[in-house]
Amino acid sequence: MADGAGAPDVRTVRDELEIRGLLARIARLADMGDLDAYAEQFTEDAVWEMPGVPVRRGRAEIRAAGAARRAEGATGPGSRTRHVVGTVTVEVEGASAVAESYWQFYADTGTAPRLHAMGHYRDTFRREPAGWRLARRRITPG
């Protein structure tokens, strides 16, 4: 929505800021946060897609995949890895929104940080009673 001068209305700006905060929170929780808090950022029926990895459906599967990555030492506390999300665009349409962003995944952050992987997120969000949640993440490496 826009006002008569073409500027976005206050609610749209607030929604975009909340979604940008959610993107940052998901990255931070993946790196060093509680897995239950991480899973809560997704809708109950969320879908997480990445080539070469089984599609995860629902909070429970997304949380379990996060736990498996942590058990392998690939991510999470002590792994010395970090997700960086940038070049974000957000389009809000009522109770749904789409964000496009680039991501970088760094390894060895405690000694000699190196870019391990990078790519593109296409995220679909849904406004729920508790706030915005991620409903679908499509990850494209490269």
Side-chain angles (χ1 to χ4, degrees), residues 91-107:
E91 295 293 328
V92 178
E93 286 289 329
S96 66
V98 173
E100 304 266 353
S101 55
Y102 296 139
W103 56 267
Q104 299 173 343
F105 182 68
Y106 288 89

Side-chain angles (χ1 to χ4, degrees), residues 47-132:
V47 177
W48 189 96
E49 303 173 84
M50 182 173 172
V53 177
V55 173
R56 308 301 184 193
R57 297 185 188 282
R59 278 187 187 149
E61 284 188 16
I62 291 167
R63 186 195 184 288
R69 288 189 298 275
R70 287 182 177 196
E72 296 166 357
T75 62
S79 67
R80 301 195 188 293
T81 61
R82 292 288 183 266
H83 291 81
V84 177
V85 180
T87 317
V88 178
T89 61
V90 179
E91 295 293 328
V92 178
E93 286 289 329
S96 66
V98 173
E100 304 266 353
S101 55
Y102 296 139
W103 56 267
Q104 299 173 343
F105 182 68
Y106 288 89
D108 302 323
T109 59
T111 54
R114 64 180 170 80
L115 182 61
H116 181 73
M118 63 187 300
H120 173 260
Y121 290 141
R122 179 175 172 80
D123 294 325
T124 303
F125 298 88
R126 186 166 61 228
R127 185 184 297 122
E128 295 191 336
W132 286 97

